[in-house]
Amino acid sequence: MPGIIMQRVTEGEDGKAALRTDDFGQFLKAIVGIPKDKNFEEKITSEMKIALKEGKKLRLETLRSVKALILEFQKSGTGKELNDDEAIKMLNKAAKNRKDSIAMFLQAGRTELAEKERNELDIIQEFMPAQLSEEEINDIILAIIRKVDAKEMSDMGKVMGVSMQELN
């Protein structure tokens, strides 16, 4: 189901009035604003409100499942505060669950359920940090090999140690 679309009058390139169509969610984000300094839980809550107002059921359902993970973490009794690292671990776990479900649904021939899981995975990945491409990782590792002056396989430990520090 598409989001709510709204139209507004703006000034066109020629200086005349022009009708502009906007996605309501983008409009809300621009007007209300979602500050970058909000913590993870506040971001999820804000996005849930926008999804509810737009009527995006799948997005709302997915965000509610992430919110449930947050509540589960808070009530776990570990005494830890939800920081960025914990949030990323939580999102990685949710993403892995979706990937596993996609594989099982495709194996069982349930493409409609696999597509739903794929859409949920896309929503979850919006909140995850950008992943490095294979090419970027190769460039970083080559730079590390030059930096530690690795010439033989016996230097692999040095390269691995520095790689793990730089890529984490």
Side-chain angles (χ1 to χ4, degrees):
M1 177 179 189
I4 298 171
I5 303 296
M6 62 179 290
Q7 294 181 329
R8 62 186 168 120
V9 178
T10 61
E11 187 174 327
E13 292 177 15
D14 57 359
K16 295 181 181 178
L19 191 61
R20 181 171 168 195
T21 304
D22 292 326
D23 181 41
F24 187 64
Q26 297 301 320
F27 174 75
L28 274 177
K29 287 179 184 177
I31 299 300
V32 176
I34 298 178
K36 294 195 182 341
D37 62 343
K38 279 192 171 185
N39 70 28
F40 178 66
E41 184 178 5
E42 290 170 342
K43 286 179 189 175
I44 296 297
T45 303
S46 296
E47 288 292 327
M48 282 175 59
K49 289 176 186 176
I50 291 169
L52 184 63
K53 289 177 184 176
E54 288 182 347
K56 293 184 177 178
K57 291 180 182 178
L58 180 66
R59 184 172 182 82
L60 181 61
E61 179 183 320
T62 305
L63 293 171
R64 281 182 175 156
S65 71
V66 173
K67 182 77 170 182
L69 290 173
I70 293 169
L71 292 173
E72 182 181 322
F73 175 83
Q74 290 171 339
K75 292 181 180 184
S76 66
T78 59
K80 291 186 199 173
E81 189 171 314
L82 183 64
N83 58 26
D84 288 343
D85 291 337
E86 294 294 332
I88 291 170
K89 284 180 190 174
M90 190 179 302
L91 290 172
N92 281 332
K93 180 182 175 185
K96 183 183 181 308
N97 289 344
R98 298 308 189 287
K99 288 175 186 174
D100 292 345
S101 296
I102 290 168
M104 285 191 286
F105 286 138
L106 288 175
Q107 187 177 14
R110 300 293 308 266
T111 55
E112 71 283 354
L113 292 174
E115 187 62 31
K116 178 182 182 272
E117 293 291 323
R118 217 177 267 119
N119 292 335
E120 288 183 7
L121 178 61
D122 291 341
I123 293 167
I124 290 169
Q125 288 176 335
E126 289 177 24
F127 298 95
M128 296 173 74
Q131 301 292 312
L132 293 174
S133 69
E134 189 174 331
E135 185 178 311
E136 292 171 321
I137 293 171
N138 287 338
D139 291 343
I140 292 170
I141 291 174
L142 286 173
I144 291 169
I145 290 171
R146 285 186 219 105
K147 183 171 133 183
V148 298
D149 197 33
K151 304 255 188 245
E152 300 174 10
M153 283 302 287
S154 60
D155 297 329
M156 179 71 88
K158 295 179 200 173
V159 173
M160 289 297 290
V162 176
S163 297
M164 294 303 289
Q165 288 176 347
E166 289 204 20
L167 293 175
N168 279 337

